[in-house]
Amino acid sequence: MISNTIDQEIKKAMLAKDNAQLRGLRAIKAALLLAKTEKGSSEEITVETELKILQKLIKQRRESADIYKSQNREDLFQVEEEEIAVINQFLPKQLDRAEVAVIIEQVIKQSGATSVKDMGKVMGMANKELAGKADGKLIAEIVKEKLA
């Protein structure tokens, strides 16, 4: 479980006085605590849920970084990039485009999809298969290409 590791890493970052690491770790801890205490959630969070939360945090920071970059706010852009690097430490290795394409081809064969109309079914299976290993935007892009 990622949440157990986070507490230990926070202590290390505090002792090392590593503010960038500490900021990223605290963001992860806050998101996990929020997910744990949400209405209707079970007592424990699954590893898959933790991975989804981390991917969501990275997506939010990438969007913010893009905005800061376009507005020439290098100081704020750097903060977001540092946090992305910290969060990435807890995600599995991200697959490249070619590896994702191979997995999606297998998913399409398994599902028997033939056209773009079957995209929803393929996306559901592909997202389960690639959970935490690839960005959802990349998965959707490749599925569209393969089914077109």
Side-chain angles (χ1 to χ4, degrees), residues 25-43:
L25 292 168
R26 284 182 172 158
I28 294 170
K29 184 171 180 155
L32 292 174
L33 281 172
L34 187 65
K36 244 184 214 178
T37 59
E38 272 182 353
K39 243 184 185 177
S41 69
S42 62
E43 197 65 30

Side-chain angles (χ1 to χ4, degrees), residues 44-45 51 70 91 99:
E44 278 299 312
I45 299 177
L51 291 176
S70 70
L91 283 173
E99 293 170 321

Side-chain angles (χ1 to χ4, degrees), residues 12-83:
K12 286 180 191 173
M14 288 172 103
L15 290 172
K17 296 185 183 352
D18 185 350
N19 289 329
Q21 181 85 355
L22 192 56
R23 200 175 42 246
L25 292 168
R26 284 182 172 158
I28 294 170
K29 184 171 180 155
L32 292 174
L33 281 172
L34 187 65
K36 244 184 214 178
T37 59
E38 272 182 353
K39 243 184 185 177
S41 69
S42 62
E43 197 65 30
E44 278 299 312
I45 299 177
T46 63
V47 176
E48 292 83 23
T49 306
E50 286 181 336
L51 291 176
K52 284 181 185 175
I53 291 169
L54 294 180
Q55 284 181 314
K56 183 179 177 183
L57 290 174
I58 287 180
K59 182 180 179 189
Q60 290 170 342
R61 277 152 185 76
R62 281 208 178 109
E63 289 170 356
S64 297
D66 290 342
I67 292 169
Y68 295 143
K69 187 82 165 170
S70 70
Q71 295 176 351
N72 295 322
R73 292 295 310 265
E74 196 62 38
D75 54 332
L76 296 174
F77 172 78
Q78 192 60 41
V79 168
E80 298 297 330
E81 287 296 314
E82 289 169 351
E83 288 184 18

Side-chain angles (χ1 to χ4, degrees), residues 125-138:
M125 292 173 69
N127 281 331
K128 277 185 186 169
E129 187 80 26
L130 295 166
K133 298 176 187 168
D135 183 44
K137 197 184 260 188
L138 176 65

